[in-house]
């Protein structure tokens, strides 16, 4: 059974940092494009960042560019999202999604349950 799990969320102060991890069981992430998404209360889900299978291509939403970094370690079957200079508007549930096809699409074949990130001012 495939399971995608996010971890690393929590409470941070504005200006602080968190690192999210996305791991998968029963699913070789190396064969998948992976994206990080977030959804804040009352707002639509937005794609924060995405990465290709080898980690050679990445993309970011304008709102996080220069502050967030996506990376992957295929040997560990894990994708990371390093979040620096956090702002209160980064508060949301963060999800990762794995897609067999479609680099940086807004859909995914497998989704995690999400991890809460809360940034206090």
């Amino acid at each position: 059974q495939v399971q995608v799990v996010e971890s690393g969320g929590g409470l941070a102060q504005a200006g602080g940092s968190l690192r999210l991890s996305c791991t998968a069981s029963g699913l070789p992430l190396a064969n998948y494009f992976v994206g990080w998404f977030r959804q804040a209360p009352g707002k639509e889900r937005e794609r924060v960042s995405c990465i290709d299978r080898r980690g050679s291509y990445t993309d970011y939403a304008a709102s996080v560019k220069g502050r967030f970094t996506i990376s992957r370690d295929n040997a560990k079957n894990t994708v990371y999202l390093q979040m620096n200079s956090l702002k209160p508007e980064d508060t949301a549930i963060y999800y990762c999604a794995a897609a067999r096809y479609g680099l940086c699409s807004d859909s995914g074949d497998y989704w995690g349950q999400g991890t809460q990130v809360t940034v206090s001012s």
Side-chain angles (χ1 to χ4, degrees):
Q1 183 177 357
V2 173
Q3 189 173 17
V4 177
V5 179
E6 303 92 341
S7 62
L11 177 65
Q13 290 188 333
S17 299
L18 287 173
R19 188 177 80 156
L20 305 183
S21 298
C22 172
T23 61
S25 58
L27 187 74
L29 284 179
N31 295 339
Y32 288 78
F33 303 113
V34 176
W36 281 99
F37 297 78
R38 67 185 181 186
Q39 187 164 21
K43 295 187 176 181
E44 293 187 354
R45 184 182 69 198
E46 67 167 330
R47 189 179 71 244
V48 174
S49 183
C50 54
I51 190 167
D52 71 349
R53 295 185 181 100
R54 291 185 296 176
S56 57
Y57 176 86
T58 60
D59 193 36
Y60 300 90
S63 58
V64 307
K65 191 171 291 185
R67 299 188 298 121
F68 290 10
T69 302
I70 191 171
S71 62
R72 67 190 304 159
D73 185 340
N74 286 337
K76 295 183 178 179
N77 211 37
T78 302
V79 175
Y80 304 98
L81 185 69
Q82 177 68 44
M83 306 187 296
N84 298 330
S85 302
L86 284 164
K87 303 176 181 180
E89 50 263 44
D90 294 321
T91 296
I93 299 176
Y94 283 70
Y95 302 88
C96 71
R100 190 70 176 90
Y101 302 103
L103 173 62
C104 296
S105 70
D106 288 331
S107 61
D109 299 313
Y110 302 98
W111 289 80
Q113 293 297 310
T115 185
Q116 176 71 48
V117 171
T118 303
V119 183
S120 63
S121 58

